[in-house]
Amino acid sequence: MGSVLSACGLNFKKEKVQGERHLRANDREFNLSFKYANNAIKTSKYNIFTFLPLNLFEQFQRLANAYFVFLLILQNRHKNDRQVNNRKVDVLIDGQLKNEKWMNVQVGDIIKLENNQFVTADLLLLSSSEPLNLIYIETAELDGETNLKVKQALTITGDLGDNIDRLAAFKGEVRCEAPNNRLDKFTGTLAVEGQTFALDNERILLRGCTLRNTEWCFGLVLFGGPDTKLMQNSGKSVFKRTSIDHLMNVLVLIIFGLLACMCTILAIGNGIWEYQQGSSFTVFLPRQEGADAALSGFLTFWSYVIILNTVVPISLYVSVEILRLGNSYYIDWDRKMYHTKSDTPAQARTTTLNEELGQIKYIFSDKTGTLTQNIMTFNRCSINGKSYGEVVDFTGQRIEITEKTEKVDFSWNSLADPKFSFHDHALVEAVKQGSTEVHAFFRLLALCHTVMPEEKTVGNLYYQAQSPDEGALVTAARNFGFVFRSRTPETISVVEMGTNTTYELLAVLDFNNVRKRMSVIVRSQEGRLTLYCKGADTIIYERLHPSCSKLMEVTTEHLNEYAGEGLRTLALAYKDLDEAEFQAWRERHHEASTALEEREEKLDAIYEEIETDLLLLGATAVEDKLQDGVPQTIEQLSKADIKIWVLTGDKQETAENIGYSCNMLREEMTEVFVVAADTAEGVREELVNARKKMCPGSPDEAPFQKSRFGSKKPKLVLDEKADGEFGLVINGHSLSYGLQKDLQLELLRTACMCQTVICCRVTPLQKAQVVELVKKYKKAVTLAIGDGANDVSMIKAAHIGVGISGQEGMQAVLSSDYSFAQFRYLQRLLLVHGRWSYLRMCKFLRYFFYKNFSFTFIHFWYGFFCGFSAQTVYDEWFITMYNLVYTALPVIGLSLFDQDVNDRWSFQYPQLYSPGQQNQYFSIKAFGKILLHSCYSSLILFFIPYAAMHDTVRDDGKDIADYQSFALLAQTCLLMVVNLQLGLDTYYWTAVNHFFLWGSLSVYFAVSFTLYSNGMFLIFTSSFPFIGTARNSLNQPNVWLTIFLTTILCVLPVVALRFLLIQLRPTINDKVRYKVRQAKAVLPPPVRRFPRRRISTRRSGYAFSHARGYGDLVTSGRFLRRPVKSRPALFPLAESPIAENSPQTYRNIGEGMPSS
Amino acid sequence: MSKPLKKISLTKLLHQNKNKWSFIKLRQFYQSLEKILKETCSYAELCTNNGHWLDYTGTEMNSSCFSCSSVKPDCVCELTFSFSQLFEGPVFFYYGLSNYYQNYRQYGVSKDANQLSGDTTYFLSPQDTCSPYQYDSSGKPIVPCGSIANSKFNDTFKLYLMVNGVKTLVPFDGKGIAWWTDYNVKYRNPATVNGSLAKAFDGTVKPPNWPKPAYELDPSDAANNGFVNQDFLVWMRRAALPNFRKLYGRITGGDYSQGLPAGNYTLQINYNYPVVNFKGTKKVIFSNVSWMGGKNEFLGLAYLVIGCLCVVMAIVMLIVYAKYKFSDDDDMQ
């Protein structure tokens, strides 16, 4: 029933607040009685039944009538939803597994997930293929974190295994919390056979996660579709409208006011005229019975409402939608936004927001998957004072590494990872020559980590790393001949240059945020006891043996160099241990690790004890690979005065690092503030201090914009200027305080003064809150860009949401307005498409209003000369055809093709973007100007023909000042003027523009002659009273002289004014256009950009773990994996082009998409 | 042309009222100025501002048409004027009406295009837009129906040249004064019944203001009757503006093909058309045409003024361009 209801979109029952959830496994009837949502989702706004009412409502909001455009979007969204809803999963129904569509999954069903499948709904984990009922999931979609997470089933359910009969007979009863959006918390109980077990987040698989490295698992559906935490977190779909839409609503009101004004004036005029003149003119025009001046005025009012209604831009809405659609297609068709590798074109999923793309002021970006590729590569290393990884040519000049650069051949190593690439041959030579330091270096990398290996087939190694950095390092060691092969709680097996060795693992001194290092103590087969340590360089340096000081200096230089390139660095050190000494330490360690109180502190102290007098081996540099062109894009965008905020779930160090490597945080910045206080007061203090530093004179009270009307809307906060460039880094804790009501203004003011803002450890909801905050208090257009499910909320909240497509998972794309494959396309989307769209839209609106106002105002003036009788100036046919035929196409041509400068110049001068941000091209003020301009034009257009035709005759003495000739003259003048004005407004002439313009004029004359022809009159006598008018008046010289004079008079002042403005007050636009003309359209050759090198203070890049490592698990044996057995690969590897082409990844997990 | 006249009277008046200058005097001054201008224009000779014209409304006591201006059928009045030199031909003779709203919407739609194109099915049931001139009081359809037709201008004129004290008729050529398309396409007489146009109008009545039915408009020329009567066609082409002139006839015949010779003229007017009650005026105009159509100084003046303005603006812009030509893009980076 529920499914039927929700399929109809009529599930308004949602209003009911759901209490506790109660469900039974394998008991559909029981569960259905609660009418819980099934697993279908809906991101589209309408369906076939709700389309009409909802759409009408929205149309009413927009005063628009272009529903056909929405139909297109509707279909688009539905397609995507269908794709998700129709994914297949195995569901246990009636004692056997059936392949069912996702949307048919019900609460209480037991489903089977296989490796690399998306989790179908929010599930209670029952059992898994892995020992101890563990499973691994990737949550990148959900929170942006890339490391695998472990979930474990209850033993009672884990024992069910994959025994279908037992699973089908399972009669658990779950009571749990109502649907909510907290990703990190879950409470509930499971009752099985009278026993009750507590359920927490450890047992729950959330929709949006992906099952990794687990052959299969079974789960019980707790929440389906819209009730899942993912969908609960995604915020509601709101109907997005552009600021121009909002402005249009205001303008329409103004226009209605204007219309009422004009009609009132004319009605009063008519009343007076009737009273003074009409009453005596009855000899020739008798009145209807009972009619008097007042009634006549009243009727006239309504007559004029009909005649002058052309000021109300009804056809404008249709045209607006057409050109938005057209501009959307440009985005879809843009080959420069097509990503070949992933075969992903850019897609405008919402076709109604284009011009807003030209007005973006704030960009909120996700980090993982958006700025970065989510791929770590081992790039450089320094071993014993020698730096490797750079490619130099024969002159010693550094060569930029490109795809064509020759890669190191690892074929000598049968266990090497083929995806790994390295370009410096010297390192391989060093390894082959058997340099002890180099060997020690890689041995360390092969031993000191918490990576879990998986050998699906012999020699086919896969590493599961908790952090991508570690994976990259271990993979590097593997390729250089130190292959980490397997581990047990007590041993680590390594293949060292082809020979199998096993090390006894004695202790893992795990990583945590304070220690910022990890060590292992191993005993080699020869019995040598060694401690291997890797960690943040500053930390390691403090613990080095004095003898290393010389090496330290050289290594520091290298570290600086690496850091300057934005690489994440680690220092590596080792120490040979004395057996006796170690045994003593081991005892103390055992004591500490079993201590009941302050175990952590005690352990840290013990670790500290042994990690001294280390010998430096060298340093590694791992690149968190940015997506292509990210720094350049960010530089371009910031030149366009767009502020970029990074909102990431990652930890502070990682985020900061990326901030530096993609040029958002710069060394030249005056200061980068870090807000990391733990109390509201602390946060306030830090924010205020930062603000005072940026602008000492900044007032305590936020500078509000004076609101013109006593509106209920929150007041807008004005921009404040900072002296210098600043950056702000704020962590999740502080952010949650900052977003509280009393602090949010403070946060906003400080953040908006900074060039760059980075928020770390942000939850999906906070992302949306940040966006909402800026939206609420700033008169600015916001854009959110992200790739994962965790970005959905902010994508929905921002004015424009952009999804990075072409990767796994669809959530972000599903709720986005635009999607493309690479972050770098954002600059093309904004600086080219957005700017053009805005330009075109504004030009279109300005011109459209101009042409319609000029058209209409002439009626107004004529009213004074025809007794206010609502006599139209033009032929009725002309009135019908004016917007529909004569002027429709040229203006659409203008607004589809016009551009001030081409795309390359747009990139050359990103400053061209700023007029859009300031709303310069279309605003109330601009509207006022148009009003005046069309007023002027209409005066000319009426009174010049009036004066010229008054008392004149044809050259054969016959009539030419008759109404019909005058109408023809007036409409011809009008058409000439508006077309010439269009020509003046057109910057960019294409054949189509010419065709439309000249075509429309020719059509006008052709149609006029046709409509006024004998034939038409003879067929439809009463419909074509203008017979012969065109022939009789357009052959007169004075008619043409009048047309010419009118046109000149209308256009000359505009030309003169524009010329003077360009000379006296040139805008950035004028300047660039001038330059383009100067350059004769030859663009200076694009500057070759090399990655910018930073000469910088070193920042520790020890960011290889998000949380405490798995040291405990590794040694406790909980993680013990069964011996390697050949296991068929469930999914073909490297199906995704990303994986295929990326040089080397830590992600050694099959990349195949789940069958869907 | 009329300017010197104004100037003269103005200076005269100023001179007269030099010592008693006050607001009241100012009003008197305007009133007298108006009077002088009118008098000068109406009775002594043709007014020459914007063509050569003569007002014959007869609102002034001393106008010869004064007695006719209060409605009186078949009233005849005469105006005399003179040309001091040859008025070059071909000369067109117009009647002009002012404050006459032929462009009033309800007036404009008050006709039946089908009826006027000779479709007899519309003779018996004219369009509703013709109301109140759709049916007469006895319920008979009016043909041609509607206000426009009913209000057809029905003053007639005869022009005489005084040659040696003898009145010589100057003939008006009333043929071919309407648009070709109106005469040949838009307006058609109904098919004759038994060779008689009048029979085709059987069962209809004439518009109430008309002295004769449509088929008897021109007794002198059988072909110039019905809906294709030239005067009717001219009238039916309604004017765009409340002050308008309409062609009455050309003066092209024989002796006058070169134009109207200098001399004294008498215009005899059959005064039928009432305009006084709505403050309208009637006038007659003699005019000739140039290559670009009727005489209208506006276009020439406008082009002169705008041409001058353009030159001035061009110079201003040249100066601006030379002086302020915006510097290269230093501030662009």
Side-chain angles (χ1 to χ4, degrees), chain A residues 274 862 911 948 962 1041 1071, chain B residues 104 237 240 294 296 303 331-332:
Chain A
E274 282 291 337
Y862 190 50
Q911 304 95 307
D962 62 306
L1041 284 171
K1071 288 179 189 171
Chain B
Y104 200 80
R237 183 146 288 280
N296 184 338
Y303 269 106
D331 47 339
M332 268 167 68

Side-chain angles (χ1 to χ4, degrees), chain A residues 436-437 439-441 443-444 447 496 501-506 520-532 573-579 582 615 617:
Chain A
T436 21
E437 287 85 4
H439 279 198
F441 181 89
R443 189 173 294 124
L444 187 153
L447 293 174
E496 285 186 4
T501 341
T502 306
Y503 289 86
E504 195 183 335
L505 179 62
L506 300 171
V520 290
I521 300 173
V522 292
R523 184 182 283 132
S524 69
Q525 280 179 329
E526 296 84 48
R528 232 175 93 189
L529 255 180
T530 317
L531 177 143
Y532 290 108
Y574 77 103
K575 175 190 183 182
D576 284 326
L577 294 177
D578 181 64
E579 188 68 45
F582 172 68
L615 297 172
L617 266 176

